[in-house]
Amino acid sequence: MQDLPDLDDLLDPLPDEIGPLARELVGLVGGMPGLTGKVMRGWRSVNFRHAKAGHVCAVFPYADRVSLYFEHGRVLSDPEGLLMGDELKTGRFLRLYPGKPIPEASIYVLVSEAIALFA
């Protein structure tokens, strides 16, 4: 994954247990082929783009959780029922909490599908 120098600034104001979770998720998503991440201070997120698929997803750290938002989450298959946000028009999101395991394989499938649908 590329270096994200502004990530510390984004995570520093949050509780200590959020930083490692957010960093692990950013590393997982940022390590996927073809994605580039950028800290968006105004959005308080790390956004991930693909050269052909455009904006794919974003990591949003909060005081009690970290969310992975998919720009076109409505069109993603979600056989495990991990995605939330039925009230949203196009996006969907996954909530992760400190102390709970990250569903790495499921996230890899969701991100891969999100790229494949629009690339």
Side-chain angles (χ1 to χ4, degrees):
M1 188 187 93
Q2 69 275 6
D3 184 38
L4 297 172
D6 293 336
L7 186 58
D8 288 339
D9 293 337
L10 179 69
L11 298 177
D12 282 347
L14 297 169
D16 291 343
E17 64 271 11
I18 296 300
L21 176 60
R23 287 179 194 287
E24 187 175 353
L25 184 58
V26 166
L28 174 66
V29 176
M32 295 188 67
L35 287 181
T36 57
K38 181 178 181 183
V39 174
M40 304 297 288
R41 288 180 178 210
W43 287 95
R44 295 185 193 139
S45 65
V46 180
N47 291 11
F48 291 94
R49 294 190 58 78
H50 184 271
K52 292 183 181 176
H55 177 62
V56 174
C57 60
V59 173
F60 286 88
Y62 297 99
D64 64 335
R65 68 186 181 281
V66 177
S67 292
L68 177 59
Y69 173 82
F70 290 92
E71 184 71 16
H72 300 286
R74 277 242 177 253
V75 297
L76 298 178
S77 59
D78 182 24
E80 296 179 53
L82 298 175
L83 297 177
M84 305 171 78
D86 290 337
E87 70 281 2
L88 302 176
K89 287 183 182 180
T90 59
R92 300 291 295 278
F93 58 90
L94 169 68
R95 286 185 177 160
L96 303 167
Y97 293 92
K100 305 282 183 185
I102 293 178
E104 292 182 17
S106 299
I107 289 172
Y108 187 85
V109 169
L110 289 166
V111 173
S112 296
E113 183 180 1
I115 293 168
L117 286 171
F118 295 95

